[in-house]
Amino acid sequence: MTLYGVGLGPGESDLVTVRGKRILEDADVVYSPGRLSRAVATKHVPEDRIGDLDFPMTRDEDELRRAWKAAAAEIAPRARDGTVAFVTLGDPNVYSTFGHLRRTLDAFHPDVDLDVVPGVSAVTAFATALGVEVAAGSSLALREAARGAAPTGPDRMILFKVTDVPATHEALVDAGYDVQYGRRLFMEQGKTVVTDDPTDLEDRDYYTLAYAEKRDLESTPATAAFDAAESETVTDGGERVDDEDHPVDPIAWELAEGEACGDVVPEVPPR
């Protein structure tokens, strides 16, 4: 049968995708690597179908390998005979523990079929929570900032695991960045905080991220140039005009729509 890696989204139970919810409801057993992901899973799965796995809180790589080998040995036989889900917050392939399980299964249980169900990641959810627009054409880098780290270089960065906000903030500001923070965004557990003041987040919390943008970046989308006069212009509402005096070429119309939306329009050979 199949082992599904299911992304639960950032933490609110109604942000699980429709596909993810269906798989959780159909799975024979659902494994969770942590308390928060388990809390979300139990909104969709009865407690008696939640499997138990032991993951030690350690950075000792040998101990971690032993733990994941034991987890894979527990999961593999069930996945061969039935449908199993392993859930993580966010997306299974973005800063997730699912990668450890997949590599361990590949090494010791390569016959287990794997399927990944993407979830809403903090990589995208942060933009809504912080009111940030990452416009088309913008470059955006993903970095980790645990224990006061402050990566620099790219014009725009999302920083995960900002566990020492004051230290990270000071270094980023000195490097020429404006910074916004979000803590426990779209999570049902704990208090959600959105702020640009590092003193609001002096206590450490693993579920804190930051958006850092170089000051004075020049970014002017075409629609930022509208003035009051243009905003009052009356149009046809985007309707096609297609009559004997003004016939519409459907291919030209479709290409024009794509170009107006910013698509790269290929050249069309004459007909």
Side-chain angles (χ1 to χ4, degrees), residues 177-197:
Y177 289 90
D178 292 323
V179 193
Q180 293 176 266
Y181 299 93
R183 173 169 291 179
R184 295 185 175 256
L185 303 176
F186 297 104
M187 296 183 73
E188 295 175 348
Q189 303 83 12
K191 180 182 178 182
T192 295
V193 180
V194 175
T195 183
D196 59 6
D197 185 350

PDB file of all heavy atoms in Angstrom, residues 177-197:
ATOM      1  N   TYR A 177      18.725  46.315   6.706  1.00  0.00           N
ATOM      2  CA  TYR A 177      17.427  45.698   6.460  1.00  0.00           C
ATOM      3  C   TYR A 177      16.331  46.318   7.319  1.00  0.00           C
ATOM      4  O   TYR A 177      16.580  46.722   8.468  1.00  0.00           O
ATOM      5  CB  TYR A 177      17.478  44.200   6.767  1.00  0.00           C
ATOM      6  CG  TYR A 177      18.261  43.372   5.785  1.00  0.00           C
ATOM      7  CD1 TYR A 177      19.623  43.152   5.970  1.00  0.00           C
ATOM      8  CD2 TYR A 177      17.651  42.800   4.670  1.00  0.00           C
ATOM      9  CE1 TYR A 177      20.358  42.382   5.078  1.00  0.00           C
ATOM     10  CE2 TYR A 177      18.363  42.024   3.776  1.00  0.00           C
ATOM     11  CZ  TYR A 177      19.722  41.824   3.987  1.00  0.00           C
ATOM     12  OH  TYR A 177      20.444  41.064   3.102  1.00  0.00           O
ATOM     13  N   ASP A 178      15.137  46.374   6.767  1.00  0.00           N
ATOM     14  CA  ASP A 178      13.923  46.567   7.555  1.00  0.00           C
ATOM     15  C   ASP A 178      13.357  45.180   7.839  1.00  0.00           C
ATOM     16  O   ASP A 178      13.351  44.321   6.946  1.00  0.00           O
ATOM     17  CB  ASP A 178      12.888  47.404   6.797  1.00  0.00           C
ATOM     18  CG  ASP A 178      13.337  48.847   6.618  1.00  0.00           C
ATOM     19  OD1 ASP A 178      13.962  49.385   7.545  1.00  0.00           O
ATOM     20  OD2 ASP A 178      13.067  49.414   5.538  1.00  0.00           O
ATOM     21  N   VAL A 179      12.868  44.955   9.073  1.00  0.00           N
ATOM     22  CA  VAL A 179      12.497  43.601   9.479  1.00  0.00           C
ATOM     23  C   VAL A 179      11.113  43.602  10.118  1.00  0.00           C
ATOM     24  O   VAL A 179      10.784  44.472  10.936  1.00  0.00           O
ATOM     25  CB  VAL A 179      13.519  43.008  10.477  1.00  0.00           C
ATOM     26  CG1 VAL A 179      13.290  41.509  10.625  1.00  0.00           C
ATOM     27  CG2 VAL A 179      14.952  43.287  10.042  1.00  0.00           C
ATOM     28  N   GLN A 180      10.306  42.629   9.754  1.00  0.00           N
ATOM     29  CA  GLN A 180       9.029  42.352  10.396  1.00  0.00           C
ATOM     30  C   GLN A 180       9.053  40.930  10.934  1.00  0.00           C
ATOM     31  O   GLN A 180       9.712  40.054  10.354  1.00  0.00           O
ATOM     32  CB  GLN A 180       7.869  42.487   9.426  1.00  0.00           C
ATOM     33  CG  GLN A 180       7.606  43.888   8.931  1.00  0.00           C
ATOM     34  CD  GLN A 180       6.491  43.898   7.899  1.00  0.00           C
ATOM     35  OE1 GLN A 180       6.723  43.846   6.697  1.00  0.00           O
ATOM     36  NE2 GLN A 180       5.255  43.942   8.367  1.00  0.00           N
ATOM     37  N   TYR A 181       8.329  40.708  12.018  1.00  0.00           N
ATOM     38  CA  TYR A 181       8.325  39.397  12.657  1.00  0.00           C
ATOM     39  C   TYR A 181       6.907  38.859  12.767  1.00  0.00           C
ATOM     40  O   TYR A 181       5.938  39.602  12.931  1.00  0.00           O
ATOM     41  CB  TYR A 181       8.935  39.478  14.064  1.00  0.00           C
ATOM     42  CG  TYR A 181      10.366  39.940  14.059  1.00  0.00           C
ATOM     43  CD1 TYR A 181      10.677  41.286  14.211  1.00  0.00           C
ATOM     44  CD2 TYR A 181      11.408  39.035  13.858  1.00  0.00           C
ATOM     45  CE1 TYR A 181      11.981  41.726  14.173  1.00  0.00           C
ATOM     46  CE2 TYR A 181      12.727  39.465  13.819  1.00  0.00           C
ATOM     47  CZ  TYR A 181      13.003  40.813  13.976  1.00  0.00           C
ATOM     48  OH  TYR A 181      14.306  41.240  13.924  1.00  0.00           O
ATOM     49  N   GLY A 182       6.813  37.541  12.683  1.00  0.00           N
ATOM     50  CA  GLY A 182       5.553  36.846  12.914  1.00  0.00           C
ATOM     51  C   GLY A 182       5.792  35.628  13.780  1.00  0.00           C
ATOM     52  O   GLY A 182       6.704  34.843  13.500  1.00  0.00           O
ATOM     53  N   ARG A 183       5.031  35.501  14.834  1.00  0.00           N
ATOM     54  CA  ARG A 183       5.184  34.353  15.736  1.00  0.00           C
ATOM     55  C   ARG A 183       3.890  33.561  15.767  1.00  0.00           C
ATOM     56  O   ARG A 183       2.806  34.111  15.926  1.00  0.00           O
ATOM     57  CB  ARG A 183       5.554  34.819  17.147  1.00  0.00           C
ATOM     58  CG  ARG A 183       5.560  33.701  18.192  1.00  0.00           C
ATOM     59  CD  ARG A 183       6.182  34.160  19.499  1.00  0.00           C
ATOM     60  NE  ARG A 183       7.615  34.384  19.350  1.00  0.00           N
ATOM     61  CZ  ARG A 183       8.402  34.817  20.335  1.00  0.00           C
ATOM     62  NH1 ARG A 183       7.885  35.079  21.528  1.00  0.00           N
ATOM     63  NH2 ARG A 183       9.689  34.992  20.120  1.00  0.00           N
ATOM     64  N   ARG A 184       4.017  32.245  15.596  1.00  0.00           N
ATOM     65  CA  ARG A 184       2.871  31.318  15.624  1.00  0.00           C
ATOM     66  C   ARG A 184       1.752  31.802  14.698  1.00  0.00           C
ATOM     67  O   ARG A 184       0.597  31.913  15.095  1.00  0.00           O
ATOM     68  CB  ARG A 184       2.388  31.114  17.061  1.00  0.00           C
ATOM     69  CG  ARG A 184       3.452  30.410  17.897  1.00  0.00           C
ATOM     70  CD  ARG A 184       3.016  30.047  19.303  1.00  0.00           C
ATOM     71  NE  ARG A 184       4.066  29.276  19.955  1.00  0.00           N
ATOM     72  CZ  ARG A 184       4.033  27.966  20.156  1.00  0.00           C
ATOM     73  NH1 ARG A 184       2.986  27.278  19.765  1.00  0.00           N
ATOM     74  NH2 ARG A 184       5.032  27.347  20.753  1.00  0.00           N
ATOM     75  N   LEU A 185       2.142  32.049  13.453  1.00  0.00           N
ATOM     76  CA  LEU A 185       1.192  32.521  12.456  1.00  0.00           C
ATOM     77  C   LEU A 185       0.241  31.401  12.049  1.00  0.00           C
ATOM     78  O   LEU A 185       0.672  30.298  11.736  1.00  0.00           O
ATOM     79  CB  LEU A 185       1.943  33.031  11.222  1.00  0.00           C
ATOM     80  CG  LEU A 185       2.968  34.140  11.473  1.00  0.00           C
ATOM     81  CD1 LEU A 185       3.696  34.478  10.181  1.00  0.00           C
ATOM     82  CD2 LEU A 185       2.312  35.366  12.065  1.00  0.00           C
ATOM     83  N   PHE A 186      -1.035  31.691  12.059  1.00  0.00           N
ATOM     84  CA  PHE A 186      -2.072  30.718  11.704  1.00  0.00           C
ATOM     85  C   PHE A 186      -1.938  29.443  12.531  1.00  0.00           C
ATOM     86  O   PHE A 186      -2.111  28.338  12.020  1.00  0.00           O
ATOM     87  CB  PHE A 186      -2.014  30.381  10.206  1.00  0.00           C
ATOM     88  CG  PHE A 186      -2.298  31.554   9.313  1.00  0.00           C
ATOM     89  CD1 PHE A 186      -1.276  32.195   8.650  1.00  0.00           C
ATOM     90  CD2 PHE A 186      -3.591  32.016   9.143  1.00  0.00           C
ATOM     91  CE1 PHE A 186      -1.519  33.283   7.824  1.00  0.00           C
ATOM     92  CE2 PHE A 186      -3.854  33.101   8.321  1.00  0.00           C
ATOM     93  CZ  PHE A 186      -2.809  33.733   7.664  1.00  0.00           C
ATOM     94  N   MET A 187      -1.628  29.598  13.804  1.00  0.00           N
ATOM     95  CA  MET A 187      -1.525  28.450  14.699  1.00  0.00           C
ATOM     96  C   MET A 187      -2.579  28.572  15.787  1.00  0.00           C
ATOM     97  O   MET A 187      -2.835  29.663  16.298  1.00  0.00           O
ATOM     98  CB  MET A 187      -0.124  28.361  15.313  1.00  0.00           C
ATOM     99  CG  MET A 187       0.989  28.126  14.309  1.00  0.00           C
ATOM    100  SD  MET A 187       2.616  27.941  15.069  1.00  0.00           S
ATOM    101  CE  MET A 187       2.445  26.299  15.787  1.00  0.00           C
ATOM    102  N   GLU A 188      -3.184  27.437  16.131  1.00  0.00           N
ATOM    103  CA  GLU A 188      -4.205  27.434  17.169  1.00  0.00           C
ATOM    104  C   GLU A 188      -3.595  27.378  18.561  1.00  0.00           C
ATOM    105  O   GLU A 188      -4.245  27.697  19.547  1.00  0.00           O
ATOM    106  CB  GLU A 188      -5.148  26.245  16.963  1.00  0.00           C
ATOM    107  CG  GLU A 188      -5.958  26.350  15.669  1.00  0.00           C
ATOM    108  CD  GLU A 188      -6.799  25.124  15.413  1.00  0.00           C
ATOM    109  OE1 GLU A 188      -6.590  24.088  16.099  1.00  0.00           O
ATOM    110  OE2 GLU A 188      -7.674  25.176  14.528  1.00  0.00           O
ATOM    111  N   GLN A 189      -2.332  26.956  18.648  1.00  0.00           N
ATOM    112  CA  GLN A 189      -1.662  26.831  19.937  1.00  0.00           C
ATOM    113  C   GLN A 189      -0.758  28.041  20.158  1.00  0.00           C
ATOM    114  O   GLN A 189       0.087  28.364  19.327  1.00  0.00           O
ATOM    115  CB  GLN A 189      -0.817  25.551  19.996  1.00  0.00           C
ATOM    116  CG  GLN A 189      -1.597  24.271  19.722  1.00  0.00           C
ATOM    117  CD  GLN A 189      -1.774  23.984  18.244  1.00  0.00           C
ATOM    118  OE1 GLN A 189      -1.142  24.603  17.404  1.00  0.00           O
ATOM    119  NE2 GLN A 189      -2.656  23.055  17.932  1.00  0.00           N
ATOM    120  N   GLY A 190      -0.935  28.716  21.282  1.00  0.00           N
ATOM    121  CA  GLY A 190      -0.101  29.867  21.587  1.00  0.00           C
ATOM    122  C   GLY A 190      -0.664  31.152  21.001  1.00  0.00           C
ATOM    123  O   GLY A 190      -1.672  31.171  20.298  1.00  0.00           O
ATOM    124  N   LYS A 191       0.011  32.256  21.286  1.00  0.00           N
ATOM    125  CA  LYS A 191      -0.447  33.584  20.879  1.00  0.00           C
ATOM    126  C   LYS A 191       0.251  34.020  19.592  1.00  0.00           C
ATOM    127  O   LYS A 191       1.470  33.972  19.488  1.00  0.00           O
ATOM    128  CB  LYS A 191      -0.141  34.600  21.984  1.00  0.00           C
ATOM    129  CG  LYS A 191      -0.577  36.023  21.666  1.00  0.00           C
ATOM    130  CD  LYS A 191      -0.191  36.968  22.788  1.00  0.00           C
ATOM    131  CE  LYS A 191      -0.595  38.417  22.450  1.00  0.00           C
ATOM    132  NZ  LYS A 191      -0.186  39.358  23.523  1.00  0.00           N
ATOM    133  N   THR A 192      -0.550  34.459  18.631  1.00  0.00           N
ATOM    134  CA  THR A 192       0.010  34.984  17.392  1.00  0.00           C
ATOM    135  C   THR A 192       0.452  36.428  17.596  1.00  0.00           C
ATOM    136  O   THR A 192      -0.304  37.242  18.144  1.00  0.00           O
ATOM    137  CB  THR A 192      -1.021  34.922  16.253  1.00  0.00           C
ATOM    138  OG1 THR A 192      -1.331  33.562  15.973  1.00  0.00           O
ATOM    139  CG2 THR A 192      -0.486  35.583  14.990  1.00  0.00           C
ATOM    140  N   VAL A 193       1.669  36.756  17.182  1.00  0.00           N
ATOM    141  CA  VAL A 193       2.205  38.110  17.295  1.00  0.00           C
ATOM    142  C   VAL A 193       2.780  38.517  15.949  1.00  0.00           C
ATOM    143  O   VAL A 193       3.541  37.769  15.332  1.00  0.00           O
ATOM    144  CB  VAL A 193       3.316  38.204  18.368  1.00  0.00           C
ATOM    145  CG1 VAL A 193       3.846  39.630  18.463  1.00  0.00           C
ATOM    146  CG2 VAL A 193       2.801  37.733  19.723  1.00  0.00           C
ATOM    147  N   VAL A 194       2.411  39.694  15.464  1.00  0.00           N
ATOM    148  CA  VAL A 194       2.999  40.297  14.266  1.00  0.00           C
ATOM    149  C   VAL A 194       3.507  41.670  14.669  1.00  0.00           C
ATOM    150  O   VAL A 194       2.740  42.503  15.159  1.00  0.00           O
ATOM    151  CB  VAL A 194       1.963  40.416  13.133  1.00  0.00           C
ATOM    152  CG1 VAL A 194       2.559  41.168  11.941  1.00  0.00           C
ATOM    153  CG2 VAL A 194       1.473  39.041  12.703  1.00  0.00           C
ATOM    154  N   THR A 195       4.803  41.920  14.474  1.00  0.00           N
ATOM    155  CA  THR A 195       5.382  43.162  14.976  1.00  0.00           C
ATOM    156  C   THR A 195       6.689  43.473  14.259  1.00  0.00           C
ATOM    157  O   THR A 195       7.306  42.587  13.661  1.00  0.00           O
ATOM    158  CB  THR A 195       5.655  43.044  16.496  1.00  0.00           C
ATOM    159  OG1 THR A 195       6.157  44.290  16.987  1.00  0.00           O
ATOM    160  CG2 THR A 195       6.672  41.948  16.786  1.00  0.00           C
ATOM    161  N   ASP A 196       7.106  44.747  14.316  1.00  0.00           N
ATOM    162  CA  ASP A 196       8.451  45.120  13.874  1.00  0.00           C
ATOM    163  C   ASP A 196       9.304  45.568  15.055  1.00  0.00           C
ATOM    164  O   ASP A 196      10.408  46.066  14.870  1.00  0.00           O
ATOM    165  CB  ASP A 196       8.391  46.215  12.805  1.00  0.00           C
ATOM    166  CG  ASP A 196       7.683  47.480  13.292  1.00  0.00           C
ATOM    167  OD1 ASP A 196       7.342  47.562  14.496  1.00  0.00           O
ATOM    168  OD2 ASP A 196       7.467  48.386  12.462  1.00  0.00           O
ATOM    169  N   ASP A 197       8.780  45.358  16.262  1.00  0.00           N
ATOM    170  CA  ASP A 197       9.485  45.746  17.487  1.00  0.00           C
ATOM    171  C   ASP A 197      10.082  44.499  18.147  1.00  0.00           C
ATOM    172  O   ASP A 197       9.337  43.652  18.657  1.00  0.00           O
ATOM    173  CB  ASP A 197       8.521  46.439  18.450  1.00  0.00           C
ATOM    174  CG  ASP A 197       9.204  46.971  19.702  1.00  0.00           C
ATOM    175  OD1 ASP A 197      10.399  46.644  19.925  1.00  0.00           O
ATOM    176  OD2 ASP A 197       8.553  47.704  20.465  1.00  0.00           O
TER     177      ASP A 197
END
